[in-house]
Amino acid sequence: AFVCGLRARDGWTRRCRPFAEGFCVELQGRSHLSSGLVLRWFQGHLQRCLGAVRYRLQERCRVSLSACPGQPPTLHIVPCSDYVCCHISMAVRLIPAVPLGDALYLTALPPAGPRGSPAPEALWGLNASRQEQRLLGWLKEQAPAASCHLKCLQILKGLRDLRRHGLEEPFCSQWGRVLSSYVLKTALFSLLLQGPLEAWDERFLVERLEDLVLYLRDCLRKQVLMDFFLGNAGVPEAVALPRFLKEAAPVNLLSAFDGPTLDLVAFQLISTWVQAPHIIRMYSSPRYLRPAPAP
């Protein structure tokens, strides 16, 4: 959604030529750290380290690594146990990151990068997960003890993932990109600050979930959903954003998608909400569950 570049100082590439040649690309006559090259180097080191990790854990769990082209690798952990309650697998995405300070990180983007970018391999994503946690902590203090806002987000993510089973490409991929987890969280945060937090008591779960779906539908139709942290003067002071986030230009998270795509996603979103019981029954069967990766 928002991207940054790390530019090298004048003369640095001459003094550190081996590093520059292995990890940097040229953009507008200046050398920039390449997220794509760093990600490729990172994946190679993970593969070499996996053998040692697997050997030490072989009696307790199976460990494997999967990586789609251009995507961060995922570490799969499957416990070895005779107890059914211990057969819970875990998948962890491993993403190289550069700390910026103020609990902010630059994370490596897939080589495709944002549409229309001049040199996507030189761009990095800005991760503000610590600021999200601060906001969630503030909401927990202000909202009712039995607030349902996190349940609404979990249910909406679940419906999004189940609905994907009935969609065909290329719309299936567009559905997941438009309704990314970050977009869903942004819609939730924006809606939470619009009304009284007392209305998010758990007994109003269905009403608030419907409000979230309708709010997201309206954003898709208007083709506008502004990033919650960048340039947003409405963020509570308790969240303590770094200055450059407060002063940044606002960013529309839906600007990368065309109108017909957003209209189709909006229509399918409402259809999914109306048919939610049927979709849950149909696509929650074992045949649609994601198979465990081969060790």
Side-chain angles (χ1 to χ4, degrees), residues 11 30 54 59 62 101 125-126 138 143 175 180 186 207 218 224 236 243 249-250 254 260 273-274 279 281 292:
R30 300 295 297 271
R54 184 184 289 130
E59 295 183 359
R62 298 195 307 272
L126 181 61
W138 179 83
W175 168 263
S180 67
T186 300
E207 291 87 343
D218 292 341
V224 175
R243 181 178 177 181
L254 302 179
W273 172 244
V274 172
I279 292 173
R281 286 194 302 269

Side-chain angles (χ1 to χ4, degrees), residues 66-81:
S66 65
C68 299
Q71 296 294 330
T74 300
L75 185 69
H76 300 276
I77 304 172
V78 181
C80 299
S81 173

Side-chain angles (χ1 to χ4, degrees), residues 160-181:
R160 174 202 61 189
D161 295 340
L162 290 177
R163 175 70 277 184
R164 186 184 287 121
H165 291 298
L167 303 177
E168 297 181 356
E169 294 292 354
F171 181 65
C172 181
S173 297
Q174 294 172 337
W175 168 263
R177 287 195 296 267
V178 173
L179 298 182
S180 67
S181 295

Side-chain angles (χ1 to χ4, degrees), residues 179-202:
L179 298 182
S180 67
S181 295
Y182 193 80
V183 164
L184 299 185
K185 284 189 291 186
T186 300
L188 175 66
F189 292 156
S190 302
L191 187 60
L192 276 166
L193 296 189
Q194 287 186 9
L197 293 176
E198 292 76 14
W200 290 84
D201 189 88
E202 190 166 17

Side-chain angles (χ1 to χ4, degrees), residues 5-27:
L6 287 173
R7 188 177 64 187
R9 294 177 179 176
D10 292 332
W12 181 87
T13 53
R14 292 192 298 272
R15 295 192 301 271
C16 305
R17 184 175 298 275
F19 182 90
E21 292 177 350
F23 295 99
C24 296
V25 293
E26 292 294 321
L27 176 61

Side-chain angles (χ1 to χ4, degrees), residues 48-66:
R48 286 188 287 272
C49 294
L50 185 62
V53 174
R54 184 184 289 130
Y55 175 76
R56 294 187 62 181
L57 299 176
Q58 61 183 347
E59 295 183 359
R60 287 181 287 174
C61 57
R62 298 195 307 272
V63 180
S64 60
L65 193 68
S66 65

